């Protein structure tokens, strides 16, 4: 099963503009944002993105991100694969 996880961009590397740090449920992960921007775009800080295998695939509005996180959090009680997403920085 492939799952994209909503994450909030916290920082963007000023030298490597395609690299950012994002947060979900208190976990900070390094992500590649080259699929959503090709230049340093400070306006992305605080924005929500859907992350899959370390790549930000698309932008999300905060309401959609929060609803998706709510569903994923509910799913982790039933699905071990989903629970793993929220236990390690290396999973998204």
């Amino acid at each position: 099963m492939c799952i994209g996880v909503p994450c909030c961009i916290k920082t963007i590397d000023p030298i490597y503009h395609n690299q950012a740090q994002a947060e979900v449920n208190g976990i900070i992960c390094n992500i590649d944002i080259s699929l959503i921007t090709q230049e340093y775009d400070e306006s992305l800080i605080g924005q929500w993105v859907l992350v899959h295998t370390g790549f930000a695939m698309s932008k999300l509005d905060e309401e959609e991100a929060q609803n998706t996180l709510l569903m994923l959090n509910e799913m982790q009680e039933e699905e071990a694969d989903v629970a793993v997403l929220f236990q390690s920085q290396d999973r998204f």
Side-chain angles (χ1 to χ4, degrees):
M1 161 173 46
C2 296
I3 295 178
V5 178
C7 297
C8 184
I9 295 177
K10 296 299 183 183
T11 64
I12 299 172
D13 190 302
I15 297 171
Y16 301 103
H17 302 160
N18 66 324
Q19 299 297 307
Q21 285 195 326
E23 182 268 330
V24 62
N25 285 356
I27 297 172
I28 301 293
C29 57
N30 294 316
I31 63 171
D32 187 302
I33 58 173
S34 60
L35 296 174
I36 60 171
T37 187
Q38 297 298 309
E39 57 192 42
Y40 184 79
D41 184 357
E42 193 172 278
S43 72
L44 288 173
I45 295 172
Q47 296 291 312
W48 287 86
V49 292
L50 190 63
V51 177
H52 175 67
T53 64
F55 289 86
M57 305 299 286
S58 61
K59 297 179 195 176
L60 300 172
D61 65 42
E62 186 171 1
E63 182 179 358
E64 183 179 7
Q66 294 298 337
N67 287 337
T68 302
L69 284 173
L70 181 64
M71 287 187 287
L72 288 172
N73 280 315
E74 290 173 359
M75 284 177 61
Q76 72 176 320
E77 296 173 12
E78 303 292 327
E79 296 287 336
D81 290 344
V82 175
V84 169
L85 291 172
F86 296 104
Q87 297 171 359
S88 171
Q89 294 180 14
D90 302 324
R91 297 295 178 176
F92 353 132

